[in-house]
Every structure is written in C-alpha cells, then in structure tokens.
Amino acid sequence: MSTPTAPAPGVTEPTAPAHGATEPSAPAPGWAALRRMTPARVALGRAGNALPTGAHLDFQEAHARARDAVWSVLDAEALAAALGTLGLPVLRAASRAANRRDYLLRPDLGRRLAEQDHAALAAQRRDDLPLVFVVADGLSATGVQAAAPAVIAAAVPRLRQAGVPVGPVVIATQARVALGDAIGAALGAGMVAVLIGERPGLSAPASLGVYLTLDPRPGRTDAERNCISNVREGGLSAEAAVETLVWLVREAGRIGATGVALKDMRPAGPALPPPA
Amino acid sequence: MAFAHRIGATRHVFDDLRVLLARATPFRSGDALAGVAAESAEQRIAAQRALADLPLRHFLSEAVIPYETDAVTRLIIDRHDASAFAPVAHLTVGGFRDWLLSEAATPASLAALAPGLTPEMAAAVSKIMRLSDLVAVAAKCRVVTRFRNTIGLQGRLSIRLQPNDPTDDPRGIAAQIVDGLMLGAGDAVIGINPATDSVEATIRLLELIDGVRERCAIPTQSCVLAHVTTSLLAIERGAPLDLVFQSIGGTEAVNTSFGVTLPLLAEAREAALSLKRGTVGNDVMYFETGQGSALSADAHHGCDQQTIEARAYAVAREYKPFLVNTVVGFIGPEYLYDGKQITRAGLEDHFCGKLLGLPMGVDVCYTNHAEADQDDMDALLTLLGVAGVTYVMGVAGADDVMLAYQSTSFHDGLSVRAALGKRPAPEFEAWMERMGIGEGTRDLPEALAPALLGAA
C-alpha cells in the first residue's frame, strides 16, 4: 500500500471503494467538476508521482478485461443455438488463420476462407439470397457473443417487412471483416452483413461493429462498405443499429452501391450517446 | 550490387542494399508480414556482419528505392551535405558504430554531422546496435527548437498534453487540459487529435486552446492534429494556429496515401511562418511517423519498416520541425507484436531521429491486441528518458478515450522527470512556479478553475 507523500489534489474513485487506498479525502473544489466534464480519467489524485492504488487497479482491471476479450474464444455452439431459434439455417466457416496468434500476426489470413469451408459453403449456393449475415469473432468474441443474436433477431423481421429475405447465418472464426466477402461470394449472396467484435478499448471491451457490403467478393475494399460501430451496452443500442442497418440495406438495393457512395443522409440519424 | 557473408559452410548472399538492410533488421512481425525478414537467426547475423563491413560511402551510390521513381529518395540525395559527411566518409557501418560510441562523437560533432548522414546510414548502424548503444548515442545528441518556449535543452523533458475527446466536446477537452497542466504536462504542446477532420471543428478547437493559453498566459503552443490541407484552410480563415501538423512516411507512395506531397508541406510551413505567432522562435511544424505505416499502405517497395521509418525523418528535417514523434505502438501487433518489439522500435526511432537532427519525441504506447502492458511502457519510458527523449505524450490516466489506445499518463511524465532529475521547458517551469503548480498543490489555481475556462 502506498502512502501519498504530498497532499493529493485528491478525488478518489466516486463509485467503487478505493482498493487498499488511504482514507479518501473530500474532493477539493473544482476537481469534482472536472470529473463530470469528461469520460477521460481525470482528477485521479496522486500517490507521490504515481496513481493512488484505487485508480491504478481500476486501470489494470479495465486492461485485464480488454485483454481477455481479445483472446476470448467464440462459443460457436451456444451462438448457433441462440441463432437457431430464429428459424434460419446456421453454417460454420473459418479463416485460414490457424489460431489467435496467427490471426493477430497475419491479417491477410483472417480475410481468406479456409479451403474446405469454401467448398462446403459453395455447396449451399443459391441464386435467390439477397442478404447473408456473418457473425465473426474479430478482436472481441465477448462482444459478438453478447450482442449479435439480439441484433439479428431484431433485424430479420424488419428486413422481411422491407421485402429482403435473409439467408443462412454463417458463424465465422478467426475472422476479419473481409472474410465476409469470401463467404458472401461462395454463397452467392447479394449483400453480406458482417457482425464482428471490435478492437477492445479500456472503457468498451465488448463492442460490436456491423459492416454491410453489396455484391461481396474477395478484393472489395473498406471504402466499399458501410459501418455501424460501437454497438454495445452503454454505446449504440441494438435497436438503433438495426434501424440504421435496415435503412442501409434498402438504400444499397435502391442505388446499387455500398460504401462511400452510400451516405447516411437521414435528417436525424441515431446519435451516439456519450461514452460511458 | 550483391553482398555476401560466410558463416561455417554457408555463404549468405543478399541481392542488393534493400535486401541486406531488411535481413539485418532485428526481428519484428511487420517485416515477417512483408516477407522481408531474415529466414533464420544465422542469416540475420550474416547480414549484420556484411552490413558492418559496408563503407558508409556506398549509401550515396545505391538507393533502396530508385531516385527516378521516389520523391523522398530525391530529397535525401539532393540534400546530402558532402562536407558535413567528410569526418566519417572513410568509415564502414561497423566503424561508424564504434565512432558514435567513442569520445570523438560529442554533442557538437554529432550536430555538425547530421546533414551529412542519410536516413539509410542511420538505420543501418542502428541495426547493429544494442539498446544500450541506442540510448548512449542518442543521449549525446542535442536538438533544441523554439516557438513560445524552448524544447530539447539538456536536463529537460517535455510533455505533449493530449486532451482528446470522442466527440470533440469542449468541456471534456478543457477538463483534461486543466488536469494535465496541474500535473506539469503541456510544455511541448497542447495538441488535440480531432474526432472530425473538418475546418470548422479545427478552428473551434484551436480557439478553445488559444483561449486557455491566453487567459492563463501559458508559454506553450497549441496544435490541432488535422490534415495539413485542413490547417491551411484554417489559416486562411484567420484561426489562431501555432503549429501545422501532418503524418508523414518514408516513401512518396505512403505520403500520397496520407494525401500529402513535399511541395504541400512547404506551402503549409510558409503559411504558418507568415502568422509570426512564435515569441522565442519560429519552428512551426509538427510531424508524426511510425514503423509499419508504409506497409499498411502497400507503399514499402520491399524495404523493411525501420529503414522506411528513418527515411520519413528526411522528410521531417526538410521543414525544420518544432516537434517530431514516432507513434511507436499504435499500429498494432501485425507490425510490432509485443513489448520487446515496441521497446526496440521506440529506441531505434528516437536514435535515428536524433542522429539526423530532429527534436524527437516518442508516443510510448500500445493497443489492447498487442502483447504489451503498463510495465513495458514504464521500461521504455525510462530508457527514453535516459536517452534524452525530447518529449513524450501526456494522456489523462494513460487512457486515450478517443483513439482507444494507451499512452503515457500525466503521472508517468512526473515520475520519469523525478526519477531522472529532468525538468520541464524553462519558460513553462517558470510559469508553473508563478501559478503555484507543484508537488504539494491541492487546489486548482483560480485562473484554471473550470468556470473561468468557460467550460463548467
């Protein structure tokens, strides 16, 4: 336990009790105001020149959760069971990255479909598949596991109403966004929506991104996709994400493009709430 | 020209200078991703030995990217100062390492040598140096720059206050500025990465920082790290712009991917100079670089990422920057996998930048998908402090809530200064004393109260 050597400009954690810290002093005037003005880690106090124990361990906890999210493994069985209740066929696919380390070091392998999966998906190819969902682990399986079924469950009836039938859902592992291009092409899908775990931040270890690509095929660039990001508790809600997705799908069908050519021109698109 | 070195029964051959440099590079994931890394430890040391035997003069006759096709190569060759090079012109790369570590290499002789060195020479010698070598030689390099204060003096370590906000909310930015100033950060620059790169947002943020700076009479400079074309438009509209920022790289193609050309950088510098906002000097450019950016833009021409990074410093020095920093761990594990690779890259970049005459800072940082943590950053920050790093970043609680990565905190800046007996820039230090900001400060000085910043 460290003892502050100088009077700390001291605000201790307002919520959790400071772990092992000395008796918190009342916030000096001004500092508490700073805390309310930003999601950043301000007014943390000092233990000498370092962080007080509570603030230090808060940081370590956030980093631990983010690290675990990166190395978390998608529970494909549980995900398939959750998706199965929606009445859509569920398929599986893997990228060419053999494991997580491979995935982190070789983004190119994460964008390419494993050989055997290509054949298996091609066997399911149909000519009347307007939209396929791909649920991909990305950089946070935790985020996908938590949020993807709810997004798809909300999206499917809305898309059907809009006259866009939805094909099978593909659960993809060690997957980058562009793996959806290979999957969509193998299945003959008109559009692919990739729901993928985003790179975890300290304040958001489990966040989902949604990438929509028209006429998917290997070689598509990020400029040819539309992205809805920060879908998570405390971020963009699943409902708001679905609303945007349905709008994008309809517009993409109308103008025949996704990406930079498809700008969200709705007068009041769902605004991001302030980060937690 | 091909190079070779025999180890035991194997004769290792390297087709040209580009390949030799790449194979001689200590291992990092980005070179493996690019397919240019040595295939074995033995091949690497063979390349290092062949490189050590290479005369420095050779670098003036063989370019890693052809002169005809690359504007950065042309800049390097056209600006080479042969008379500055003369004192080391007879040396091999290995002999140059020995010379750098010797007493003959003094702050004065190193400063005089800088215009005579090409980036490839600096990169080459760094590849056969250990961390302690990179630290020792960089510590002898002095690069002093001036705008509203003086950066880079001996015994000083400056901090960029980086008050980024996910929505450019002025309240959130002001709160972080106050927090950082109270912890001794901000003498290098108060520099915001804007969430939106628009002229309106840039002007609004410049006015925000300038307001705080004027109200509290802080001897520092401000910057909004928008694209150079955005800064030019802001200048046209009369914004209070101190430093022009731009990300740059070591090939013409990577700069094209950043939307910049060398004439555009010159134009931006002229525009900023015309404002005459500096008080103790007029170094007006701020550049950021980082290993791996060329490969990620498919603009690396088969070179290793560290050689390309050093070439970016040739671009930087052409425009006499106030600050340069390498954002070493931001790019991700496919380029620098873990704390070990990030540490070495940070020290290489700092060394090469200093040797080439730049006011070199380092964003000591990592992302959550890299194999790195706060311990790695503490070690690198301390090594850089010993190496005399010009400045490092200061981020509230080390957690950049806009860019979603971890950099050094305001507290880290205090810690490394205290551990190494370093002080802020002199003008800023005097300001802190006037404001009563110091170790024992508990209350916010009245001038820094949130209400008076117009932000509460």
Side-chain angles (χ1 to χ4, degrees):
Chain A
M1 189 173 93
S2 49
T3 308
T5 55
V11 182
T12 51
E13 278 304 300
T15 48
H19 183 94
T22 46
E23 188 62 28
S25 53
W31 290 98
L34 290 190
R35 262 302 184 62
R36 290 191 297 271
M37 289 161 63
T38 172
R41 292 170 196 257
V42 297
L44 298 177
R46 284 170 66 172
N49 289 315
L51 289 177
T53 301
H56 159 59
L57 293 178
D58 286 342
F59 181 100
Q60 297 298 86
E61 179 181 312
H63 185 239
R65 295 186 68 205
R67 292 292 295 154
D68 282 350
V70 169
W71 288 83
S72 61
V73 176
L74 196 63
D75 183 346
E77 297 302 325
L79 191 58
L83 292 169
T85 62
L86 304 178
L88 297 172
V90 178
L91 306 173
R92 301 277 294 272
S95 79
R96 295 194 184 188
N99 52 46
R100 189 89 311 209
R101 184 183 156 86
D102 214 19
Y103 175 80
L104 292 173
L105 285 169
R106 293 288 305 271
D108 54 323
L109 297 181
R111 297 184 194 112
R112 297 171 63 199
L113 195 52
E115 202 78 53
Q116 67 277 15
D117 290 337
H118 186 273
L121 291 178
Q124 304 278 332
R125 188 187 171 89
R126 283 168 33 198
D127 292 330
D128 57 341
L129 268 189
L131 178 73
V132 165
F133 277 104
V134 173
V135 180
D137 48 5
L139 281 165
S140 170
T142 327
V144 174
Q145 200 90 43
V151 170
I152 294 178
V156 168
R158 295 279 314 274
L159 288 164
R160 281 189 184 134
Q161 277 171 22
V164 183
V166 177
V169 179
V170 182
I171 298 174
T173 48
Q174 308 296 8
R176 302 266 171 186
V177 171
L179 187 67
D181 298 338
I183 292 171
L187 288 169
M191 265 183 251
V192 64
V194 179
L195 280 53
I196 190 165
E198 294 182 326
R199 193 182 88 194
L202 287 194
S203 55
S207 183
L208 187 80
V210 183
Y211 291 81
L212 182 70
T213 311
L214 184 80
D215 190 14
R217 53 188 153 79
R220 287 282 183 213
T221 68
D222 290 342
E224 296 173 296
R225 317 183 196 287
N226 290 88
C227 173
I228 306 164
S229 72
N230 200 28
V231 184
R232 62 180 171 94
E233 218 173 285
L236 190 69
S237 69
E239 297 72 43
V242 166
E243 185 152 323
T244 301
L245 177 65
V246 172
W247 186 88
L248 287 171
V249 168
R250 295 179 68 160
E251 279 300 292
R254 193 177 64 80
I255 69 169
T258 46
V260 290
L262 172 52
K263 288 253 191 280
D264 190 347
M265 301 296 271
R266 290 172 296 167
L272 284 180
Chain B
M1 174 177 158
F3 308 88
H5 186 84
R6 182 178 294 280
I7 294 182
T10 310
R11 186 168 176 268
H12 296 275
V13 180
F14 308 98
D15 287 346
D16 55 26
L17 182 59
R18 184 184 57 156
V19 172
L20 181 66
L21 287 166
R23 303 294 190 271
T25 306
F27 181 78
R28 61 208 63 197
S29 51
D31 289 342
L33 182 63
V36 303
E39 287 155 18
S40 67
E42 183 178 292
Q43 190 191 45
R44 177 171 299 109
I45 186 62
Q48 290 174 339
R49 283 187 173 274
L51 186 60
D53 290 341
L54 189 66
L56 279 182
R57 206 182 278 111
H58 182 83
F59 289 86
L60 300 176
S61 61
E62 184 179 354
V64 295
I65 303 170
Y67 183 93
E68 296 72 23
T69 57
D70 188 89
V72 177
T73 301
R74 290 195 289 277
L75 179 71
I76 291 167
I77 300 299
D78 295 351
R79 285 287 189 265
H80 183 253
D81 182 335
S83 58
F85 179 60
V88 298
H90 61 291
L91 296 174
T92 60
V93 173
F96 184 45
R97 173 183 170 277
D98 294 338
W99 182 86
L100 286 170
L101 290 162
S102 78
E103 287 173 11
T106 62
S109 62
L110 286 165
L113 177 63
L117 295 177
T118 67
E120 290 85 350
M121 293 176 192
V125 73
S126 78
K127 292 176 195 297
I128 58 166
M129 291 167 83
R130 287 174 35 195
L131 297 191
S132 65
D133 303 339
L134 298 171
V135 168
V137 177
K140 294 195 278 186
C141 298
R142 305 262 182 281
V143 182
V144 177
T145 56
R146 295 177 176 85
F147 191 78
R148 249 180 233 110
N149 58 21
T150 311
I151 298 292
L153 295 169
Q154 196 173 6
R156 308 280 171 171
L157 194 162
S158 295
I159 315 278
R160 167 188 163 192
L161 203 168
Q162 181 172 311
N164 295 342
D165 183 273
T167 58
D168 291 338
D169 175 8
R171 290 163 45 89
I173 288 167
Q176 294 177 75
I177 292 177
V178 171
D179 198 52
L181 290 171
M182 290 297 293
L183 293 170
D187 53 337
V189 62
I190 299 174
I192 305 172
N193 297 87
T196 323
D197 195 311
S198 74
V199 185
E200 289 74 20
T202 297
I203 293 174
R204 200 165 50 84
L205 294 175
L206 283 169
E207 288 172 347
L208 166 69
I209 316 177
D210 208 53
V212 175
R213 190 188 60 73
E214 286 278 346
R215 190 169 303 117
C216 304
I218 313 171
T220 191
Q221 32 286 325
S222 60
C223 187
V224 172
L225 284 75
H227 192 264
V228 61
T229 52
T230 308
S231 295
L232 273 168
L233 289 169
I235 291 172
E236 267 177 35
R237 296 209 200 160
L241 186 143
D242 292 342
L243 305 180
V244 172
F245 169 81
Q246 184 55 45
S247 290
I248 55 169
T251 71
E252 181 176 342
V254 71
N255 286 320
T256 301
S257 82
F258 288 146
V260 295
T261 60
L262 302 183
L264 180 62
L265 295 175
E267 181 191 342
R269 177 167 181 267
E270 288 305 316
L273 282 174
S274 74
L275 300 178
K276 298 187 168 56
R277 291 176 58 83
T279 51
V280 299
N282 222 1
D283 299 315
V284 294
M285 300 301 283
Y286 174 9
F287 295 117
E288 277 187 357
T289 65
Q291 292 190 26
S293 63
L295 176 58
S296 76
D298 196 21
H300 62 298
H301 299 269
C303 295
D304 69 88
Q305 65 189 31
Q306 191 248 338
T307 298
I308 296 286
E309 170 70 9
R311 285 167 53 97
Y313 307 153
V315 176
R317 72 176 170 181
E318 177 70 6
Y319 305 103
K320 301 179 175 52
F322 180 72
L323 302 167
V324 179
N325 74 271
T326 169
V327 193
V328 68
F330 186 73
I331 192 157
E334 61 268 43
Y335 301 94
L336 294 168
Y337 185 67
D338 56 15
K340 180 178 171 68
Q341 292 182 14
I342 292 170
T343 299
R344 177 154 181 112
L347 289 165
E348 287 167 346
D349 293 352
H350 177 253
F351 162 81
C352 289
K354 282 282 169 71
L355 196 60
L356 293 167
L358 291 177
M360 202 70 194
V362 178
D363 190 342
V364 174
C365 64
Y366 64 107
T367 57
N368 287 320
H369 61 321
E371 288 292 306
D373 61 19
Q374 293 298 97
D375 287 344
D376 296 305
M377 299 303 111
D378 291 345
L380 176 55
L381 176 60
T382 306
L383 286 165
L384 283 165
V386 178
V389 70
T390 304
Y391 72 106
V392 295
M393 308 307 123
V395 174
D399 175 8
D400 188 311
V401 292
M402 199 278 275
L403 295 171
Y405 79 122
Q406 286 90 255
S407 183
T408 43
S409 67
F410 303 139
H411 294 75
D412 293 331
L414 290 179
S415 295
V416 73
R417 279 178 181 160
L420 301 174
K422 303 268 188 183
R423 294 149 61 192
E427 299 88 345
F428 191 85
E429 185 180 38
W431 173 81
M432 285 173 66
E433 279 165 22
R434 286 200 299 278
M435 295 290 285
I437 297 173
E439 203 184 340
T441 309
R442 178 180 168 78
D443 296 330
L444 289 176
E446 205 173 319
L448 282 176
L452 290 176
L453 297 179

